[in-house]
Amino acid sequence: MKRISLTQHLIEAQRLHNSIPAELRLLIEVVARACKTISHSVGKGALGDVLGSASSENVQGEIQKKLDIISNEILLQANEWGGHLAAMASEEMEGIHPIPNRYPMGEYMLLFDPLDGSSNIEVNVSIGTIFSVLKAPEGMVTPTEQDFMQPGTMQVAAGYAVYGPQTMLVLSTGNGVHCFTLDREMGSWVMTQRDVKIPEETSEFAINASNARHWYPPMQRYFEELQAGKAGPRGRDFNMRWVASMVADVHRILTRGGIFIYPADVRDPSKPGKLRLMYEANPMAMIVEQAGGAATDGKRRILDIQPHALHQRVPVFLGSKNEVELVTRYHTEQL
Ligand code: AHM
Ligand code: MG
């Protein structure tokens, strides 16, 4: 296979299909460059003094890790000055981050989870960055939180970087999903998989089963049937994997199929699930759908959800189509 770089891929997509406007291409390249910088910091570990907790909490009341803050800063600084953005929003910041007046304002808005899977930092397990790109509403002068309240179908690009044994960037601009591996010597992103597709059938699931006793009945039923294996109603055995980094779990599903679930549970109805719609569920749902999979909140398509708050949480069921449809049916049958 003739290797092409991320830049070449984006320029060709712009030229041949006119699918990527020049400003969006610039934006993606800047995000990709920031991910390279984050990957470098992650790779330094203790040598770079980047491990451990910072002495602060984020808006969700979670203790921030040093790398959460470093990664957030890297993304903010990289994206402020290019003239392609109007505002940014991050899982690690309470409010939106409008582009400072000293820089020109562009037509896109960027949302990100700067460092997903933070609990895995110290144990040297894969972590990542997730991002989503929206267009600023027509005629917007001063960006507000309200301008970000667009359903996931409005995303013009989404992707993630996974910092694992290899650093990879997975991207969709609405024309399939393509994967790029970071060539560490050359410092460039090289396409290593084009138009990835998730198998429709799977016998592998990813869920934090330690929460099982708190789940609602449809989820309990689905899980019990998976566990029953060959002898149960599903008639086959299922394997389980849970990395506790959504990027790593989704990347596995993209590679060999599977279903990823973070359901709501009975503990705190104001927090339906753990994952955030704008920074995690929406971008991953776009990637998964573009790869032929499905993504729901148990009842509806995630990409159709009209957001009402920047940091809102949603239950997430995504991956191989047949499995996502089945567990979604179990939930909707109960309505
Ligand atoms: P984070 O963005 O604060 O790292 O939290 C999100 C992560 C996901 O990557 C992962 O799927 C999930 O939290 C793991 O949760 P749990 O610790 O309950 O297994
Ligand atoms: Mg996260």
Side-chain angles (χ1 to χ4, degrees), residues 207-224:
I207 194 163
N208 184 343
S210 69
N211 297 320
R213 68 191 181 283
H214 304 297
W215 295 336
Y216 290 101
M219 189 54 228
Q220 303 259 10
R221 171 189 170 192
Y222 177 68
F223 183 60
E224 276 161 22

Side-chain angles (χ1 to χ4, degrees), residues 91 113 115-117 130 275-276 280:
E91 188 181 302
D113 176 356
L115 205 83
D116 179 63
I130 311 173
L275 302 176
R276 277 119 311 196
E280 289 158 333

Side-chain angles (χ1 to χ4, degrees), residues 91 113 116-118 208 242 244-246 260 262 274 276 280:
E91 188 181 302
D113 176 356
D116 179 63
S118 326
N208 184 343
W242 183 250
S245 284
M246 189 187 198
F260 170 94
Y262 214 112
K274 177 180 185 188
R276 277 119 311 196
E280 289 158 333

Side-chain angles (χ1 to χ4, degrees), residues 52-63:
S53 298
S55 48
S56 52
E57 275 188 5
N58 67 10
V59 57
Q60 349 266 338
E62 298 159 345
I63 297 286

Side-chain angles (χ1 to χ4, degrees), residues 26-284:
L26 177 66
L27 192 169
I28 292 168
E29 294 222 52
V30 174
V31 171
R33 202 177 311 136
C35 289
K36 226 188 289 182
T37 310
I38 297 172
S39 170
H40 188 254
S41 280
V42 168
K44 285 267 173 202
L47 301 177
D49 193 23
V50 297
L51 303 185
S53 298
S55 48
S56 52
E57 275 188 5
N58 67 10
V59 57
Q60 349 266 338
E62 298 159 345
I63 297 286
Q64 289 177 302
K65 298 285 182 78
K66 282 186 198 169
L67 263 176
D68 286 323
I69 297 173
I70 294 169
S71 308
N72 196 56
E73 275 307 310
I74 289 172
L75 281 157
L76 288 180
Q77 283 180 18
N79 283 284
E80 261 183 0
W81 51 270
H84 49 277
L85 282 180
M88 291 180 255
S90 161
E91 188 181 302
E92 299 301 335
M93 300 187 298
E94 184 160 3
I96 66 163
H97 180 93
I99 296 301
N101 286 335
R102 60 184 182 279
Y103 300 122
M105 199 169 106
E107 55 180 321
Y108 292 101
M109 303 191 299
L110 175 67
L111 300 98
F112 46 82
D113 176 356
L115 205 83
D116 179 63
S118 326
S119 71
N120 280 323
I121 296 172
E122 281 76 32
V123 287
N124 199 5
V125 167
S126 296
I127 48 183
T129 298
I130 311 173
F131 64 93
S132 157
V133 184
L134 293 169
K135 266 200 114 170
E138 208 64 42
M140 185 191 80
V141 182
T142 310
T144 64
E145 191 170 319
Q146 194 51 39
D147 296 314
F148 283 84
M149 298 299 107
Q150 305 181 30
T153 46
M154 301 298 281
Q155 292 173 108
V156 292
Y160 63 84
V162 55
Y163 313 118
Q166 305 120 43
T167 287
M168 291 187 75
L169 183 78
V170 175
L171 174 71
S172 181
T173 55
N175 266 318
V177 177
H178 311 295
C179 302
F180 302 84
T181 303
L182 181 62
D183 181 329
R184 294 180 209 262
E185 282 77 44
M186 304 301 286
S188 61
W189 294 104
V190 181
M191 186 187 274
T192 41
Q193 279 164 287
R194 186 187 283 277
D195 213 8
V196 185
K197 291 291 174 218
I198 300 175
E200 286 190 358
E201 279 293 344
T202 184
S203 296
E204 197 163 74
F205 64 95
I207 194 163
N208 184 343
S210 69
N211 297 320
R213 68 191 181 283
H214 304 297
W215 295 336
Y216 290 101
M219 189 54 228
Q220 303 259 10
R221 171 189 170 192
Y222 177 68
F223 183 60
E224 276 161 22
E225 290 183 4
L226 296 181
Q227 280 187 302
K230 223 180 173 116
R234 300 301 307 274
R236 67 182 197 271
D237 291 336
F238 282 79
N239 187 29
M240 193 188 89
R241 287 285 182 276
W242 183 250
V243 183
S245 284
M246 189 187 198
V247 279
D249 280 313
V250 169
H251 197 69
R252 183 187 59 256
I253 288 170
L254 216 58
T255 309
R256 67 177 192 213
I259 181 169
F260 170 94
I261 305 179
Y262 214 112
D265 66 41
V266 297
R267 281 174 290 185
D268 181 356
S270 74
K271 286 185 187 162
K274 177 180 185 188
L275 302 176
R276 277 119 311 196
L277 175 62
M278 308 294 280
Y279 318 107
E280 289 158 333
N282 268 342
M284 289 310 201

